Amino acid sequence: MRKILPIITAIATTLVLSGCSSMNNISKLLGHHEVYTETIIAAEPEEVWAVITDAPNYKNWNPVITNAMGSHAEGATIINTVVEDGKKPTEIKSKVVKFGPPFHLNQFGGYRGIITFDHHYILEKVDAGTKVIQKEEYTGFYVNFWDSAWVEPAYRRVNEALEAEVLRRRP
């Protein structure tokens, strides 16, 4: 048994770090939670997209992500400073896994099996302007212990601030 334990540990570590689909499924079984918000902004998707992907200016309008370092491009790394009400700011690193202007931005981060986040901004052209959907899926063991109740209200505040910033930038 002593000889097998290091081999099992090595295989498990490889699965966790590899991001293989089996580990994604295992991570989801260990814990799972989703957040969903949407709003409609009276502007074109390109106008909303310009604000969402302007990382250096997050500090000027975003009440939750007070700083964003990096660029929004597929494969790029973004480091966000996230402020949860009543807590110290936290830096969260993510990778841009989908960059589909001007309709879909997907960032992923965390540690598979422990806690991951899969965040999406989805923009849809509608008669009244642009429907903005923010949705995020959390998976991993720690999800069972993490109080995520603050996230949905925070995303609603981001949606309101996003609308104000998009409309402020209009000519």
Side-chain angles (χ1 to χ4, degrees), residues 15 17 23 30 42-43 45 48 55 90 101 107 135 141:
L15 284 173
L17 297 176
M23 191 57 216
L30 292 171
V48 178
T90 304
Q107 295 172 248
K135 66 179 187 174
F141 180 73

Side-chain angles (χ1 to χ4, degrees), residues 11-141:
I11 291 170
T13 302
T14 301
L15 284 173
V16 168
L17 297 176
S18 72
C20 73
S21 61
S22 295
M23 191 57 216
N24 290 340
N25 293 334
I26 291 168
S27 188
K28 199 170 194 175
L29 287 173
L30 292 171
H32 181 256
H33 180 71
E34 291 183 21
V35 173
Y36 179 95
T37 64
E38 69 177 57
T39 191
I40 294 180
I41 299 175
E44 293 299 314
E46 292 80 4
E47 294 173 280
V48 178
W49 184 261
V51 174
I52 289 171
T53 58
D54 185 7
N57 281 310
Y58 272 33
K59 62 183 172 248
N60 297 321
W61 67 269
N62 195 318
V64 176
I65 300 174
T66 58
N67 192 36
M69 295 183 300
S71 66
H72 288 98
E74 201 156 311
T77 297
I78 300 285
I79 299 173
N80 292 319
T81 302
V82 177
V83 178
E84 181 182 345
D85 288 340
K87 299 208 175 166
K88 289 173 46 176
T90 304
E91 281 192 355
I92 298 176
K93 186 173 164 179
S94 66
K95 183 175 183 176
V96 177
V97 293
K98 178 152 177 83
F99 187 78
F103 298 107
H104 191 184
L105 175 62
N106 176 207
Q107 295 172 248
F108 183 88
Y111 302 96
R112 294 182 198 282
I114 299 170
I115 188 166
T116 63
F117 62 91
D118 188 11
H119 183 269
H120 298 261
Y121 271 112
I122 300 169
L123 309 182
E124 296 176 7
K125 176 77 175 131
V126 295
D127 289 340
T130 301
K131 180 193 292 186
V132 179
I133 297 169
Q134 274 197 83
K135 66 179 187 174
E136 192 160 52
E137 178 181 40
Y138 304 95
T139 65
F141 180 73

